[in-house]
Amino acid sequence: MPLYFIGLGLGDERDITLRGLETVRSCDRVFLDGYTSLLRTDLGQLEDLYGKKVTIADREMIEENVSSLLEPARTGNVAFLVVGDVFGATTHHDLVLRARQLGVECRFIFNASILTAVGVCGLQLYRFGETISLVFWTNAWRPTSWYEKLEANRRRGLHTLFLLDIRVHEPSEESLARGVKVFEPPRFMTIADAAQQLLTLWRERAQLLGRETDETGAGAFAYDSDTLCIGLARVGQVDELMAVGTLKEFSGKDFGPPLHSLVMPGDLHAVEAEYLASLPRASSLQTLLV
Amino acid sequence: MPLYFIGLGLGDERDITLRGLETVRSCDRVFLDGYTSLLRTDLGQLEDLYGKKVTIADREMIEENVSSLLEPARTGNVAFLVVGDVFGATTHHDLVLRARQLGVECRFIFNASILTAVGVCGLQLYRFGETISLVFWTNAWRPTSWYEKLEANRRRGLHTLFLLDIRVHEPSEESLARGVKVFEPPRFMTIADAAQQLLTLWRERAQLLGRETDETGAGAFAYDSDTLCIGLARVGQVDELMAVGTLKEFSGKDFGPPLHSLVMPGDLHAVEAEYLASLPRASSLQTLLV
């Protein structure tokens, strides 16, 4: 009576593997991780194809009421569907541990992840350094610990993938202050948001250092407003969009619906440089933001 | 008339996605990358399921006779199947560039890769540093440039994934010297091979430094024979095998058929440590090597 963790890949319901589909159809209960990821298809279409009713496992269920997911796996086959690959989110390791503590066997059916699909931008996967997650800044919380990771990647000439925040089923700060949970609509960080966060930190630090722009080389800031990046939107979907541009350019560009990712290249090999030169330029994209 | 790059994932022919299968069936010609990866299923079974004759694209075709693959894509739909995810191998960027130069549109259908499936070992994917490829040492060629990457990962407390060499359809050195290509049987680097290579470098360097073993801390070697690692074999397949052990232990352990990977953890968070503690120990595996 295993608990199957099944990756759904990056696109719609047809990106499940044959093995994944057969397994879902053999299950008594099917849950979909709706906490760490956004489903990029209609739930009804997914249920029609899989032939199963799907229950959304939101943050509350996974963090506070996980037994409603684990208990059925003690007596029947249960599928836990994850957009992307199975271990994209750290909460899933925790789920596996809790399942095993209950004596529930876990099995894994892997699928595509942005962590390797990002190769579509032309950079070699084995030349990426540590992946960086950017989260939305609020007035009260402006984490900048990503900067050290970025600097370490840049110093070694490595490429950097930025995974951009998504907020699904989050209670609003106001509602928490009032003691009643009211959930905000899902929102996702855009490439423009990410570029603006990077530029904000650069401007603030550059002013501290007493200069408006920064030189390359030892001691300099890890990037500036002219640093060339690659914006990727909806990778693996039919309306995938990808462009090369500077952080300054990206800060005013709209790449459309989720999900967005940003890549900052390190040192380029010949084939990488040729590939990047063949990509569309951000300056050719229509500017929808002011 | 696109050229479709289609990931096959990590297991057998049933690990293709529904989208991938529909696409293969719509193609006039189907090639399988037999240069950078090992197919982990019978070619006949794959052809039966896909309903297509599959041509193996070996190293010679991809490096010297790529037009036999690209020309059909100028007039019809062509699929290029890749074990794992599409951009796992750097040669594929080169193929995309050449295709685009001929005016052939390229499309990508992503799938699982060891680069993210490795999360099954319990370590968080975003805490991995640069991925390291280990190649077979020969008498004439003993590359050790991986050491610097490993040291940089270790210094930052990051985990390291070692991808282990596979040699598919390689001409033997003797045959090249005679001017006639005779191909060696496919061979793959085992976890034991990898551990032995790491230990060899450590022993040689430790002797240079005038000491048999090494301390942790500044200036010390990045690992020693007691460094704890995770061995992973056949991830994503039914006979997947995973164990925790020291490099010394791994150097004498047989994990069975390909493919093998090795992970050296960096600093561990609480959940990571708990997960690793729940994995089988290498010492409990039957020793088949001397």
Side-chain angles (χ1 to χ4, degrees):
Chain A
M1 261 81 74
L3 173 59
Y4 292 99
F5 289 73
I6 303 175
L8 297 187
L10 297 169
D12 61 26
E13 68 279 1
R14 293 187 309 133
D15 287 288
I16 196 169
T17 65
L18 298 190
R19 182 188 307 279
L21 183 62
E22 286 164 18
T23 305
V24 173
R25 288 184 174 160
S26 78
C27 282
D28 307 298
R29 294 290 303 276
V30 180
F31 295 89
L32 169 70
D33 172 23
Y35 168 24
T36 64
S37 53
L38 275 181
L39 187 64
R40 290 155 224 185
T41 181
D42 180 74
L43 187 63
Q45 274 175 270
L46 186 142
E47 289 180 323
D48 285 349
L49 177 65
Y50 298 176
K52 292 281 171 181
K53 180 96 187 69
V54 174
T55 306
I56 306 281
D58 60 17
R59 181 175 178 163
E60 277 183 307
M61 182 189 273
I62 292 176
E63 291 195 341
E64 296 161 29
N65 187 23
V66 74
S67 62
S68 60
L69 194 155
L70 295 180
E71 280 302 326
R74 299 178 77 157
T75 52
N77 289 352
V78 172
F80 183 68
L81 308 178
V82 180
V83 177
D85 198 16
V86 170
F87 289 108
T90 57
T91 48
H92 301 157
H93 285 124
D94 199 53
L95 251 184
V96 173
L97 277 174
R98 296 202 210 185
R100 288 182 179 157
Q101 280 157 6
L102 288 176
V104 172
E105 185 196 353
C106 296
R107 293 197 199 155
F108 311 100
I109 298 176
F110 302 107
N111 208 321
S113 161
I114 184 66
L115 291 175
T116 60
V118 67
V120 73
C121 78
L123 301 178
Q124 295 170 2
L125 294 176
Y126 71 88
R127 301 197 57 249
F128 276 79
E130 193 177 1
T131 302
I132 291 178
S133 293
L134 289 185
V135 298
F136 281 114
W137 282 353
T138 67
N139 290 335
W141 195 55
R142 302 197 341 151
T144 57
S145 55
W146 51 261
Y147 178 75
E148 279 174 37
K149 299 178 187 177
L150 177 60
E151 196 180 35
N153 286 346
R154 301 279 287 168
R155 205 181 301 124
R156 288 170 63 193
L158 299 175
H159 312 315
T160 302
L161 168 63
F162 294 93
L163 301 177
L164 309 188
D165 204 2
I166 53 169
R167 298 274 163 157
V168 189
H169 206 65
E170 297 270 337
S172 70
E173 287 187 10
E174 296 79 12
S175 76
L176 284 178
R178 290 200 317 273
V180 196
K181 279 189 189 172
V182 177
F183 293 97
E184 292 181 337
R187 62 187 185 127
F188 69 98
M189 186 184 282
T190 65
I191 290 165
D193 292 335
Q196 285 160 20
Q197 184 173 125
L198 265 72
L199 290 176
T200 300
L201 190 73
W202 167 70
R203 273 194 214 98
E204 291 176 358
R205 300 269 172 110
Q207 280 179 347
L208 275 183
L209 296 170
R211 49 191 173 195
E212 258 307 303
T213 58
D214 221 291
E215 311 85 43
T216 54
F221 209 66
Y223 58 88
D224 62 29
S225 60
D226 291 323
T227 299
L228 217 60
C229 291
I230 307 153
L232 300 109
R234 300 175 298 286
V235 171
Q237 299 185 258
V238 283
D239 58 346
E240 180 178 296
L241 182 61
M242 185 164 44
V244 172
T246 64
L247 282 175
K248 198 164 46 188
E249 286 173 335
F250 281 153
S251 70
K253 292 290 176 185
D254 186 350
F255 277 74
L259 287 177
H260 290 188
S261 310
L262 184 70
V263 170
M264 191 181 288
D267 299 336
L268 296 177
H269 287 179
V271 173
E272 292 178 318
E274 192 183 346
Y275 199 110
L276 290 196
S278 77
L279 294 181
R281 297 289 310 207
S283 49
S284 68
L285 294 180
Q286 201 187 346
T287 304
L288 299 176
L289 298 174
V290 185
Chain B
M1 262 79 73
L3 173 59
Y4 292 99
F5 289 73
I6 303 175
L8 296 187
L10 297 169
D12 62 26
E13 67 280 0
R14 293 187 310 133
D15 286 288
I16 196 168
T17 65
L18 299 190
R19 183 188 306 281
L21 183 62
E22 287 165 17
T23 306
V24 172
R25 288 184 173 160
S26 77
C27 282
D28 306 299
R29 293 290 302 276
V30 181
F31 295 89
L32 169 71
D33 172 22
Y35 168 24
T36 64
S37 52
L38 274 182
L39 187 65
R40 290 156 225 186
T41 180
D42 180 74
L43 187 64
Q45 273 175 273
L46 186 142
E47 288 180 323
D48 285 349
L49 177 65
Y50 299 177
K52 291 282 171 181
K53 180 97 187 69
V54 174
T55 306
I56 307 279
D58 61 15
R59 180 175 180 164
E60 277 184 307
M61 181 188 272
I62 291 176
E63 291 196 340
E64 294 160 29
N65 187 22
V66 73
S67 63
S68 60
L69 194 155
L70 295 180
E71 280 302 325
R74 299 178 77 158
T75 51
N77 289 352
V78 172
F80 182 68
L81 308 178
V82 180
V83 177
D85 198 15
V86 170
F87 289 108
T90 58
T91 48
H92 301 156
H93 285 125
D94 199 53
L95 250 184
V96 172
L97 277 175
R98 296 200 211 187
R100 288 182 178 155
Q101 281 157 5
L102 287 178
V104 171
E105 186 197 351
C106 295
R107 292 197 199 153
F108 310 100
I109 297 176
F110 302 107
N111 209 321
S113 161
I114 184 66
L115 291 176
T116 61
V118 67
V120 74
C121 78
L123 301 178
Q124 295 171 2
L125 294 176
Y126 71 90
R127 301 196 58 249
F128 275 79
E130 193 177 1
T131 302
I132 291 179
S133 294
L134 289 185
V135 298
F136 282 114
W137 281 353
T138 66
N139 290 336
W141 194 55
R142 302 198 342 153
T144 57
S145 54
W146 51 261
Y147 178 75
E148 280 174 37
K149 299 178 186 176
L150 177 60
E151 196 181 36
N153 286 346
R154 302 279 287 167
R155 205 181 300 126
R156 289 170 63 192
L158 298 174
H159 312 316
T160 302
L161 168 63
F162 294 93
L163 301 177
L164 309 188
D165 204 1
I166 52 168
R167 299 273 162 157
V168 188
H169 206 66
E170 297 269 337
S172 70
E173 287 187 11
E174 296 77 13
S175 76
L176 284 178
R178 290 201 316 275
V180 197
K181 280 189 188 170
V182 177
F183 294 97
E184 292 181 338
R187 62 188 186 128
F188 70 98
M189 187 185 280
T190 65
I191 291 165
D193 292 334
Q196 285 160 19
Q197 183 172 128
L198 265 72
L199 289 176
T200 301
L201 190 72
W202 167 70
R203 273 194 214 96
E204 290 176 359
R205 299 268 172 111
Q207 280 180 347
L208 274 183
L209 296 169
R211 48 193 173 193
E212 259 306 304
T213 57
D214 221 289
E215 310 85 43
T216 53
F221 208 66
Y223 59 88
D224 62 29
S225 60
D226 291 323
T227 300
L228 217 61
C229 291
I230 306 152
L232 301 109
R234 301 173 299 285
V235 172
Q237 298 185 258
V238 283
D239 59 346
E240 181 179 295
L241 182 61
M242 185 162 47
V244 173
T246 64
L247 281 175
K248 198 164 45 188
E249 285 172 335
F250 281 153
S251 70
K253 292 290 175 186
D254 186 351
F255 276 75
L259 287 177
H260 291 189
S261 309
L262 184 70
V263 170
M264 191 181 288
D267 300 337
L268 295 177
H269 288 178
V271 173
E272 291 178 318
E274 192 183 345
Y275 199 111
L276 289 196
S278 78
L279 294 181
R281 298 288 311 205
S283 49
S284 68
L285 293 179
Q286 201 187 346
T287 303
L288 299 176
L289 297 174
V290 184

